[in-house]
Amino acid sequence: MISFLSPLFLVGALTAAVPVILHLLKREPEPRIKFAAVKLLKHAPVENTEKHRLRELLLLALRVAALVLLALAFARPFFARGAATASGVTVVALDTSYSLSAPGRFERAKQLAKSAIANTPSTDLVGVITFSDEAEIVAKPGTDRVLAASAVDDAVAGFGGTRYRAALSAASQTLAGRRGTIVVVTDLQESGWDAGDRASVPEGARIEIADVGALPANLAVVSLQPLSDRLVATIRNTGAQSRDVRAHLTIDGRAAGDATASIGANQTAEVTFAGATRGNTASVTVDDPAGIQADNQRFAVLGGASVPSVAVVTGSGDAGRDAFYVQQALGAGSYRAVGVSGAKLASMTDDQLAAHAAIFLLSTRGLERHGRELLASFVRSGGGMLVAAGPDVDGEVVADVLGSASALRIQAAAAPKAAERGLAPADVRHPVFHAFAANAATLGLVRFRNVARIAGTGCQTIARFTTGDTALIDCAAGDGRALVIASDLDNRWNDFPLHATFVPFLHETVQYLASARAHASEYVVADAPRGAPRRPGIATIADGTRRGAAPRRVAINVDPRESDPARLTMDEFQAAVTRLKPTAGSEERIEARQQEDSQHMWQYAVALMLIALAVEGFLAARTA
């Protein structure tokens, strides 16, 4: 198919009418010559009329051809193929998260995907993307429907969670400003959008949802916690009826006992295995053949670990005096609070600080340059830190520790305000609110009398005050993360430590912060450390935090949020998508230019035009 890079220049071909008009205007009747004898007939011009007329027509054709060829050269013709000939693009995004691993669900998803490919207009290109935690382009846009369908057939449901932002970002990259349709084949998991999460697609792109359907009744092992004298597994029943569950414990690959529990509809229950802590690794499995398969088993690393410690940075380093409530709350569980002053940080090494699971920064008094660099190195190398923006914390010091990437800003209030405010999670699915998933309203009972103003570029707001001000943000810093709460943790600006929610909040916070460090013993598939496979199980990896450290075992588990049966409506899905205006250079035009540059047909048009002009000049000279 011949196309043109600059088709407007074809209008110039109309100038070919000029020599035709001039030729018609120039036509004159042959003069009549009177002669008396036949001998004079040879002097009449009528003898060469037919030959002369033929030459003039040939000259006219050559002049018209020269003008037409000149217009064609400026229009830049080329033989179009691929995206340059397509009128649009259809991208099929196939959900491969583990929520589709229940019997028959992924087969239905594949059928919907292949149906979307078959129904694509014949003039459209078709591409295929698979997505879960990350998205992958498995078939680039093309005209081959068989290749696209084959890519769908080769897809398998994995162990990742649903992330719509990854899917739509990859689809937008594939469209690259072209008109098209994105068909998302999914089960509309609500957990696929984080609170405040949005995706951007080209303005002309249409999004269609191919709904696989709601999750079936499902049992999921959502937690496995080794304690000093027992193992505690938490099992969730998402079905509409109560179920009797038998859980199977395995220690170091050998069966170590069973436990039973009766779990109500849409409820969770704990199953305890007493005395089952001797060994290196453990797993708990439930029988659920009709539900999601990937969440039927959970792994944990046992033994050889002392009680994890949390470095609590205060003015004097005396945690019992400066951070009494924090010390007691951490001690009520499986953590040990270790007080550290700014002066003590100045004499510590990276290895000494790396021994702690997380850091609570409650005061910046006395925090000199070496201490700041030590904290910054801890976070950048994958550590987690909680900053309580109370009266003893200097926002400039914290911003210096976290680095310019976060652009953190903390502005402490000058004096307590009369109006008290409560706490409201902006994203109840965030790990720090895991313990409050069923009753997040209890956090609203906490009264905050005074707060700081906090903000940061690239930081996610995960909780707000009832006044609308930001209460808790999650900021990335290097390979680590920092949580910043806009108040203190010692009952001066709020009564949080006096509420029962304080203890589980701190425990979930430490667990979340510690999960970023290389010495954590459990990861979800999406956050698996380097060297570990992205599937559930026990993996042996090198410890990157200490030189010469021996390899260690870690547990890789699926993200329990994916087992949540809550679903989005199609309107809610569409509302989370932002439309962007297309850029000036679309991919079709870029590809068309590349094709035209490789063919150079305009050069042939110019060469033919020059040949036509040369022949026209020669004939014109003979005719004159």
Side-chain angles (χ1 to χ4, degrees), residues 39-84:
K39 67 177 181 178
L40 300 177
L41 185 62
K42 61 181 180 180
H43 300 294
V46 179
E47 180 185 23
N48 299 321
T49 297
E50 292 299 329
K51 185 183 293 186
H52 183 75
R53 182 176 300 171
L54 181 61
R55 287 182 179 179
E56 286 187 345
L57 290 176
L58 184 57
L59 287 172
L60 175 64
L62 289 172
R63 291 163 184 165
V64 169
L67 291 174
V68 171
L69 288 170
L70 180 63
L72 285 174
F74 276 103
R76 309 286 291 273
F78 65 98
F79 288 102
R81 58 184 181 273

Side-chain angles (χ1 to χ4, degrees), residues 33 50 72 80 190 259 382 404 460:
I33 301 176
E50 292 299 329
L72 285 174
E190 185 178 82
S404 58
Q460 177 189 1

Side-chain angles (χ1 to χ4, degrees), residues 164-197:
Y164 297 120
R165 182 176 182 179
L168 294 179
S169 296
S172 298
Q173 178 184 355
T174 304
L175 290 176
R178 292 178 287 192
R179 181 184 63 81
T181 302
I182 302 173
V183 181
V184 184
V185 183
T186 181
D187 53 3
L188 287 171
Q189 287 281 93
E190 185 178 82
S191 60
W193 287 120
D194 290 328
D197 203 8

Side-chain angles (χ1 to χ4, degrees), residues 145-169:
R145 268 60 171 165
V146 175
L147 182 63
S150 177
V152 172
D153 287 331
D154 292 340
V156 294
F159 300 101
T162 305
R163 291 295 177 267
Y164 297 120
R165 182 176 182 179
L168 294 179
S169 296

Side-chain angles (χ1 to χ4, degrees), residues 64-134:
V64 169
L67 291 174
V68 171
L69 288 170
L70 180 63
L72 285 174
F74 276 103
R76 309 286 291 273
F78 65 98
F79 288 102
R81 58 184 181 273
T85 64
S87 61
V89 180
T90 295
V91 179
V92 178
L94 176 60
D95 188 348
T96 58
S97 61
Y98 80 77
S99 63
L100 292 168
S101 64
R105 284 175 61 78
F106 197 60
E107 287 70 20
R108 171 165 169 73
K110 285 185 174 182
Q111 290 176 358
L112 291 173
K114 289 194 285 188
S115 177
I117 293 172
N119 293 333
T120 300
S122 59
T123 56
D124 276 15
L125 302 179
V126 180
V128 179
I129 290 172
T130 58
F131 73 95
S132 54
D133 293 309
E134 298 177 348

